[in-house]
């Protein structure tokens, strides 16, 4: 066990990926039994998705100070970026149709053929009672309650309940840390799930589906790169920071994001890059990186939308235009509720799948690719945080340019 702890998770996942092939070949059709392993991990992820989204949204709204015109501008920059990211993801997925190249092995549960009804399906999610969504693990209902509660408590700040609110913040943070700790236990099982998924796919259907998943990887990377182009254009139009200054000054943060697959762990480096290398104003750096970094996960949003479309194409349960719009909406919410830790996007993806009746049994099939795609989308998350911060800083530098350029 101690030995395993010393091996980085990414190495364990790659080992799982490699060993899955001979295991699948050895077991042949019997490898189908390994579905139990990925089902178990999915069940655990499902269990933790609701508290994670509730607590991280509740905590973020309660503890961040979003006030004034600068905050309004920031919200606009962040929200518009997230929506553009998802639309790019959906556009690329519709154009390249990566799912059509893959024929996925059947899930235990038959695809939900119930016709989609945006009014009933979405309005019906507004909770009718306070505790119901928690007991039924209804993520949208839980989000509604969490946001409403946090906003109401926030409005009471600065009055006679300040002491209670302070202690509540500590308790919520405590709850969040407990959830994250448990989530890390589940993540420790991910290499095993990867081994099981690869062995099952190789054993029951051969190599083809795995190789064809390459289309999905290429599509996601293309979409992430397009999003990077959008950041560059917005930076050029809305900030005094030049493109060269941006990529040179923020390189440490991008490298850290790619190597840790965690935008939260990268946050101190992101802040240092904004303040010390890019020489952005204190208020822009704090608001853009600290608040933006908490809420903003454009790469995650883009990925969740693409994953939903990919699976829907692969199982022939194509999503209509209105369903794809629901995917946009849910991917915004799910990405805001995603914690900046490795694989968090996979957890909140459950909400996106549920909203359009896609069977979540297929999510573990993305695991063998996720160790790599997670790094790519985390890097884009951090590029987005810093680009938004530069735009927030405006068109004139705080210090003369000669000093600012490093
Ligand atoms: N790993 C991502 C981050 O830290 C979240 C995710 O998409 O899984 O920002």
């Amino acid at each position: 066990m101690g030995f395993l702890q010393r091996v980085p998770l990414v190495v364990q996942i790659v080992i799982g990926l490699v060993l899955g092939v001979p295991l699948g070949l050895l077991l042949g059709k019997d490898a189908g039994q390994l579905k139990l392993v990925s089902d178990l991990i999915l069940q655990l992820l499902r269990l933790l998705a609701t508290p994670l989204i509730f607590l991280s949204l509740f905590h973020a709204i309660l503890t961040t100070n979003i006030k004034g015109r600068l905050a309004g501008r920031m919200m606009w920059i962040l929200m518009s970026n997230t929506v553009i990211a998802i639309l790019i993801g959906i556009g690329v997925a519709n154009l390249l149709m990566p799912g059509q190249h893959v024929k996925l092995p059947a899930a235990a549960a038959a695809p939900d053929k119930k016709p989609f009804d945006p009014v009933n399906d979405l309005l019906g999610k507004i909770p009718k009672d306070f505790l119901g969504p928690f007991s039924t693990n209804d993520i949208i209902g839980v989000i509604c309650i969490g946001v409403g509660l946090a906003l109401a408590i926030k409005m009471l700040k600065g009055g006679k309940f300040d002491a209670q609110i302070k202690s509540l913040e500590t308790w919520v943070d405590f709850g969040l840390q407990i959830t994250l700790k448990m989530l890390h236990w589940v993540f420790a099982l991910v290499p095993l799930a990867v081994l099981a998924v690869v062995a099952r796919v190789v054993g029951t259907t051969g190599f083809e589906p795995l190789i064809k998943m390459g289309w999905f990887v290429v599509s996601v990377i293309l979409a992430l790169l397009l999003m990077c182009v959008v950041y560059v254009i917005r930076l050029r139009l809305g900030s005094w920071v030049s493109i060269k200054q941006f990529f040179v000054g923020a390189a440490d943060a991008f490298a850290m994001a790619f190597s840790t697959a965690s935008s939260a762990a990268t946050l101190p480096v992101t802040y240092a890059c904004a303040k010390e290398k890019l020489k952005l104003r204190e208020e822009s750096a704090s608001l853009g990186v600290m608040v933006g970094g908490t809420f903003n996960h454009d790469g995650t949003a883009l990925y969740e939308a693409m994953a939903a479309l990919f699976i829907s194409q692969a199982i022939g349960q194509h999503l209509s235009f209105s369903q794809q719009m629901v995917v946009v909406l849910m991917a915004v919410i799910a990405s805001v509720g995603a914690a900046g830790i490795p694989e968090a996007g996979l957890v909140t993806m459950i909400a996106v799948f549920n909203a359009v009746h896609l069977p979540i049994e297929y999510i573990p099939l993305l695991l063998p690719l996720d160790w790599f795609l997670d790094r790519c989308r985390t890097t884009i998350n951090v590029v987005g945080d810093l680009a938004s911060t530069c735009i927030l800083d405006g068109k004139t530098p705080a210090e003369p340019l000669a000093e600012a350029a490093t």
Side-chain angles (χ1 to χ4, degrees):
M1 212 53 199
F3 165 72
L4 266 187
Q5 273 170 359
R6 279 196 300 276
V7 182
L9 190 66
V10 55
V11 178
Q12 295 183 33
I13 291 175
V14 174
I15 294 175
L17 198 93
V18 173
L19 291 185
V21 176
L23 185 67
L25 291 175
L26 200 77
L27 294 177
K29 294 276 176 234
D30 289 342
Q33 309 285 342
L34 291 172
K35 191 170 176 302
L36 269 175
V37 181
S38 49
D39 279 358
L40 173 75
I41 291 181
L42 186 66
Q43 206 167 312
L44 293 172
L45 286 177
R46 226 155 122 183
L47 167 79
L48 292 172
T50 312
L52 178 72
I53 295 181
F54 175 75
L55 289 168
S56 72
L57 262 180
F58 194 75
H59 186 254
I61 296 175
L62 212 60
T63 54
T64 47
N65 213 2
I66 311 176
K67 275 202 215 108
R69 237 167 58 90
L70 200 63
R73 225 167 87 80
M74 189 196 63
M75 284 310 225
W76 157 245
I77 298 168
L78 296 186
M79 274 301 143
S80 52
N81 273 344
T82 306
V83 172
I84 293 172
I86 300 171
L87 291 179
I88 288 179
I90 287 193
V92 172
N94 277 311
L95 215 70
L96 298 186
M97 298 290 253
Q100 284 213 325
H101 301 274
V102 188
K103 206 174 162 310
L104 290 176
D112 190 344
K113 290 280 184 221
K114 184 168 147 302
F116 178 72
D117 174 355
V119 177
N120 280 333
D121 280 356
L122 281 184
L123 291 185
K125 292 275 181 205
I126 294 175
K128 296 176 196 65
D129 62 290
F130 214 77
L131 294 178
F134 292 89
S135 64
T136 53
N137 232 358
D138 168 12
I139 296 180
I140 304 180
V142 165
I143 290 173
C144 291
I145 293 176
V147 171
L149 259 181
L151 287 177
I153 295 170
K154 212 171 160 69
M155 286 181 160
L156 292 173
K157 269 191 177 178
K160 61 177 177 172
F161 296 112
D162 264 6
Q164 285 86 341
I165 295 174
K166 265 259 136 323
S167 107
L168 179 69
E169 282 178 10
T170 315
W171 279 102
V172 173
D173 188 25
F174 183 43
L176 187 59
Q177 296 312 320
I178 295 172
T179 314
L180 289 176
K181 186 117 229 122
M182 291 197 285
L183 208 56
H184 278 107
W185 295 340
V186 182
F187 289 157
L189 298 174
V190 164
L192 205 64
V194 170
L195 177 90
V197 170
V198 174
R200 175 161 71 96
V201 175
V202 171
T204 55
T205 54
F207 286 101
E208 226 174 85
L210 276 184
I211 294 172
K212 286 184 172 165
M213 295 278 260
W215 277 96
F216 179 56
V217 176
V218 171
S219 310
V220 172
I221 291 178
L222 179 71
L224 290 174
L225 286 175
L226 284 175
M227 190 57 211
C228 210
V229 174
V230 170
Y231 290 137
V232 166
I233 295 172
R234 290 195 84 170
L235 190 74
R236 193 76 206 88
L237 297 176
S239 169
W240 61 267
V241 180
S242 75
I243 296 163
K244 185 171 167 225
Q245 279 171 332
F246 180 72
F247 282 103
V248 172
D252 289 352
F254 301 157
M256 175 87 177
F258 190 81
S259 55
T260 59
S262 167
S263 52
T266 309
L267 216 65
V269 184
T270 313
Y271 185 76
C273 287
K275 276 280 297 148
E276 289 153 23
K277 299 254 175 88
L278 295 168
K279 309 269 182 216
L280 301 178
R281 292 170 180 85
E282 169 83 51
E283 70 261 34
S284 322
S286 315
L287 196 65
V289 176
M290 294 306 178
V291 181
T294 311
F295 287 105
N296 189 45
H297 301 106
D298 297 339
T300 305
L302 177 153
Y303 181 72
E304 297 196 344
M306 285 193 86
L309 259 76
F310 170 68
I311 297 290
S312 76
Q313 293 163 0
I315 61 175
Q317 193 183 325
H318 289 277
L319 301 180
S320 64
F321 179 76
S322 58
Q323 281 176 309
Q324 296 197 17
M325 289 306 106
V326 174
V327 168
V328 175
L329 183 76
M330 277 317 292
V332 173
I333 298 173
S335 73
V336 169
I341 57 169
E343 319 279 0
L346 275 186
V347 184
T348 54
M349 190 185 287
I350 294 173
V352 181
F353 273 54
N354 277 342
V356 286
H357 305 306
L358 277 176
I360 60 170
E361 280 79 357
Y362 290 98
I363 293 178
L365 288 171
L366 301 171
L367 279 176
L369 316 168
D370 208 56
W371 65 278
F372 175 66
L373 291 180
D374 190 10
R375 282 155 203 275
C376 300
R377 64 179 187 257
T378 307
T379 309
I380 289 297
N381 286 346
V382 174
V383 176
D385 292 343
L386 276 169
S388 307
T389 310
C390 290
I391 298 167
L392 199 62
D393 208 52
K395 291 189 176 172
T396 46
E399 296 176 27
L401 268 182
E403 282 171 43
T406 34

